[in-house]
Amino acid sequence: MEELAKKRLKFKVFRFNAETDYLPHYDEIELEVAQDEVVLDILNRIKWEHDGTLSYRRSCRHGICGSCAIKVNGKPVLSCKERVFDLVKIFGEELVLDPQDKKRAYKDFVIDKSNFWEKYNGVKPYLIAEIDEHPESENIIPPKEADKIEDADYCIQCGNCFYACPVVEVNEEYFGPAAFVKAYRFTADVRDNAKKERLEIVDKIGPGVWDCVKCFECAEACPKELSPITKITHLHNQIFEEGVAKNNVAVRHAVGFKHSIKKHGILDEGELVRYSEGNFGVLKHLPEAIAMFKKGKIVPPWKMPKSKNLDEVKKLIKSSSTKKF
Amino acid sequence: MGKLKYALYTGCTARESTPELLKSTLAVAEALDIELVLLDEATCCGASHLQDFDDFLSLVLNARNICYAEKLELPMVTICNTCQLNTSLTKERLDNDEELKNKVNEKLREVGLEYKGTSEVKHFLYALIDDLGVEEIGKKVKKPLTDINWAAFYGCHNIRPSELQMHNNGGENPYNPTSIDELIKVLGGNNVDYDHKNKCCGFHVELQAPNTANKLSASALTDAIDNNADAVVTPCPLCHLRLDVQQHNISKAAGREVHIPIFHLPQMIGLALGIEPEKLGINHHVTEVDFIN
């Protein structure tokens, strides 16, 4: 049998004990790592062979319990799934092991995940339906309906997307990607009777989907490749479909693109801001507008460029629009 | 190698709030002997918002834009990360779903167009790096950017989702992107290593959540400044608008004075190629560029 490739690597390991430490520090250790080892093997080896006080969560070892999620050089990983050699390809031969959120560490890699669960519970993550316990026949859901849930049901609540989301970091009330995936899992379920109620919950500016910055960190972080941001887009669509959308700045901003494209083909930036904010709201952008105007960054309305073949665009908007607001 | 030729999808900002991006892109292309054909028929891509309202309409409009590059039988280049996202996302969905493609083409045929899927879509940055090559650019440097510390700010939509963009960006890793850093070195500058180079500036929630946007921009710019950056350079005009125009609000969010010039990628390249700052539109910046004479 061919021998596995090995590499000598340096690991910087986050250490912190909330009961005794004021600040965290990093332990450094060099280990010979084989090609087939995953990050969890490294944590185990450090704990079992070098320092028994190292703490981290682990359970299934098969990528399904979601407990061993950590960050390596800032990249969210499931320890039991991520090969160390793949990380070396990205980051080189020094790897920094951190908990998902350093600010929430209790003991080394064990973090207080209560903010994750609080948000998760906030979207009512369960089926709300009147179930006939003694039905006369089976309750059949056609595959076409079941397909709408997509892969949203495969979330393992590891928290990788939540702790990778930059909005979660700066806005404490924001639900975050995992809760949105779960909300969608039920708003897309034909059996569920609380679709509108859930959509009202995720429609609120502040905690809801309108605060998503579209950075795709969640899609990148998910070990199950569920693309949470795609579910966020679906929620936006359902908010319009179910008549839940409010006449507010975020909704007008999304809708405003259609109006602007219809008029000019390319976007009328100033008009989009006015349309979104309203005639009074737009005044708060005056300082920026003046600064931009001085630097030739604002095109006056009479000079607004238009796309060529605009009649084509107008026809397409008429024939291809599927939503109303 | 024959002359490189592309269909240029300018996006909206390059024709309105960031005229310097279009100026500098055209100037750099000329200096590097690259031919760009402007797609004047193209519309707005929906800026990652229109599809929240009407997904199908967004697909039809983006497909129409690509049709015009296909008609010219040219690959399309974008100069805005979000244009790159929406255009390539549309392309991927249509190329992998015959039924959806037919539905979109049904509408496009009414105006005499058909989406085929024959044009590649990549950002100008990666056209330069993958098609022309960093070394070729290096050969044309006339005024090396010596002693300038540049912090590359990559912008989300060129590097994420990597599953989509890896085919258009030479396999750049979203957790450790290197292309702009390599370019900086070839142009004779110093590249600044800092944690926030692949993070989000918050542009897309500027209207509904200005606090979020300002805090994210503040984290990025203070990180660059604390790592001795003289300037930030970005391939995305939306990041540029946020970081260049909003520094007074970013300063408030940071709780300290944040002042650093922000460059568009082609402006930085243009300086090294010896193009006059005026021709690169340096005078259009809200945050003054105070170290170039």
Side-chain angles (χ1 to χ4, degrees), chain A residues 9 43 59 68 82 127 182 232 255 279-280 287 289 317-318:
Chain A
L9 303 174
L43 292 172
S59 183
C68 69
E82 196 79 18
L127 189 75
K182 192 50 88 179
I232 294 174
V255 176
N279 287 333
F280 288 107
I317 288 188
K318 206 169 175 196

Side-chain angles (χ1 to χ4, degrees), chain B residues 169-236:
Chain B
N169 70 10
E172 185 110 87
N173 192 288
Y175 293 104
N176 189 17
T178 53
S179 61
I180 302 176
D181 289 87
E182 292 305 318
L183 203 49
I184 292 168
K185 283 189 240 172
V186 160
L187 302 177
N190 307 322
N191 64 309
V192 172
D193 193 19
Y194 70 121
D195 284 346
H196 282 78
K197 66 176 174 181
N198 56 350
K199 297 289 191 286
C200 176
C201 72
F203 177 85
H204 290 286
V205 296
E206 204 170 89
L207 295 185
Q208 65 263 42
N211 288 339
T212 295
N214 288 327
K215 282 180 191 170
L216 296 184
S217 301
S219 302
L221 291 188
T222 51
D223 190 13
I225 292 167
D226 291 344
N227 283 284
N228 296 321
D230 297 312
V232 171
V233 58
T234 177
C236 179

Side-chain angles (χ1 to χ4, degrees), chain A residues 90 210 212 214-217 220 236-237 265 267 269 288 295 297 307-309 312 319-320 322-323, chain B residues 13 16-17 20 40 42 44 48 51-54 64 68 157 160 162 176 208 248-249 284 288:
Chain A
I90 307 172
W210 299 105
C212 167
K214 324 248 177 198
C215 66
F216 285 77
E217 290 276 8
E220 214 60 54
H236 276 114
N237 293 155
L267 189 69
E269 296 170 327
E288 290 84 33
K295 298 291 183 176
K297 282 177 164 292
S307 302
K308 266 192 202 164
N309 305 353
E312 230 175 75
S319 71
S320 310
T322 62
K323 299 283 167 51
Chain B
T13 53
E16 295 176 60
S17 53
E20 70 278 10
D40 289 328
C44 171
S48 89
Q51 87 288 343
D52 286 344
F53 173 50
D54 195 332
R64 176 182 170 275
Y68 279 99
H157 298 156
R160 285 184 294 267
S162 59
N176 189 17
Q208 65 263 42
H248 56 297
N249 289 323
H284 285 295
E288 299 282 336

Side-chain angles (χ1 to χ4, degrees), chain B residues 38-182:
Chain B
L38 265 72
L39 290 175
D40 289 328
E41 299 87 354
T43 66
C44 171
C45 71
S48 89
H49 295 286
L50 180 62
Q51 87 288 343
D52 286 344
F53 173 50
D54 195 332
D55 187 52
F56 184 69
L57 178 63
S58 161
L59 280 175
V60 170
L61 292 172
N62 279 295
R64 176 182 170 275
N65 292 345
I66 304 173
C67 284
Y68 279 99
E70 290 181 355
K71 269 178 135 179
L72 296 169
E73 295 182 12
L74 289 175
M76 179 197 265
V77 288
T78 56
I79 46 176
C80 166
N81 290 24
T82 301
C83 290
Q84 174 63 28
L85 171 76
N86 287 304
T87 313
S88 57
L89 201 54
T90 299
K91 179 175 169 57
E92 192 204 49
R93 285 174 67 188
L94 298 187
D95 289 353
N96 291 299
D97 186 340
E98 203 63 27
E99 203 187 320
L100 188 64
K101 188 164 98 176
N102 290 338
K103 270 171 80 178
V104 167
N105 270 333
E106 209 176 283
K107 303 295 178 192
L108 290 173
R109 268 192 289 273
E110 289 168 16
V111 294
L113 295 168
E114 189 193 355
Y115 172 85
K116 299 193 186 82
T118 48
S119 282
E120 295 301 311
V121 179
K122 61 166 88 177
H123 191 285
F124 187 55
L125 161 66
Y126 297 105
L128 292 181
I129 287 186
D130 297 338
D131 300 345
L132 186 63
V134 191
E135 281 161 32
E136 280 303 309
I137 300 171
K139 284 182 200 161
K140 297 195 172 161
V141 170
K142 287 187 187 141
K143 262 178 97 176
L145 307 170
T146 320
D147 293 336
I148 305 175
N149 297 338
W150 296 89
F153 191 73
Y154 283 78
C156 299
H157 298 156
N158 258 5
I159 54 176
R160 285 184 294 267
S162 59
E163 206 185 357
L164 172 71
Q165 298 302 3
M166 65 194 284
H167 311 293
N168 316 314
N169 70 10
E172 185 110 87
N173 192 288
Y175 293 104
N176 189 17
T178 53
S179 61
I180 302 176
D181 289 87
E182 292 305 318

Side-chain angles (χ1 to χ4, degrees), chain A residues 102-277:
Chain A
K102 288 187 251 192
K103 297 186 294 296
R104 302 187 71 86
Y106 273 136
K107 176 75 170 62
D108 307 331
F109 295 90
V110 179
I111 65 158
D112 168 12
K113 218 171 141 180
S114 59
N115 60 341
F116 172 86
W117 293 112
E118 187 198 314
K119 302 300 185 228
Y120 185 78
N121 291 332
V123 299
K124 308 198 175 199
Y126 39 82
L127 189 75
I128 298 176
E130 278 173 36
I131 305 284
D132 181 359
E133 289 179 22
H134 305 286
E136 282 183 18
S137 61
E138 280 176 280
N139 189 6
I140 294 170
I141 295 166
K144 214 178 121 193
E145 290 298 329
D147 284 350
K148 285 185 186 158
I149 297 174
E150 294 180 352
D151 45 11
D153 209 21
Y154 299 154
C155 171
I156 58 173
Q157 292 97 44
C158 68
N160 265 356
C161 61
F162 185 81
Y163 293 108
C165 173
V167 184
V168 167
E169 234 180 286
V170 298
N171 173 1
E172 272 185 22
E173 55 174 356
Y174 186 60
F175 278 115
F180 292 139
V181 170
K182 192 50 88 179
Y184 176 72
R185 188 254 165 269
F186 290 105
T187 57
D189 190 327
V190 280
R191 301 168 301 167
D192 194 71
N193 289 335
K195 186 172 186 170
K196 257 193 157 161
E197 193 184 333
R198 273 196 203 81
L199 290 173
E200 294 278 0
I201 293 173
V202 301
D203 175 55
K204 289 198 177 74
I205 291 187
V209 288
W210 299 105
D211 283 56
C212 167
V213 287
K214 324 248 177 198
C215 66
F216 285 77
E217 290 276 8
C218 58
E220 214 60 54
C222 179
K224 292 289 172 187
E225 296 170 18
L226 306 186
S227 188
I229 188 167
T230 307
K231 314 300 184 272
I232 294 174
T233 304
H234 293 337
L235 286 172
H236 276 114
N237 293 155
Q238 289 176 338
I239 283 168
F240 286 106
E241 283 158 12
E242 298 295 319
V244 168
K246 312 280 183 294
N247 189 358
N248 61 33
V249 59
V251 168
R252 286 192 301 268
H253 184 223
V255 176
F257 279 88
K258 177 175 155 179
H259 295 301
S260 195
I261 293 171
K262 198 172 164 185
K263 220 167 150 191
H264 304 283
I266 80 169
L267 189 69
D268 183 338
E269 296 170 327
E271 172 56 19
L272 179 75
V273 177
R274 195 207 58 79
Y275 181 86
S276 309
E277 295 279 20

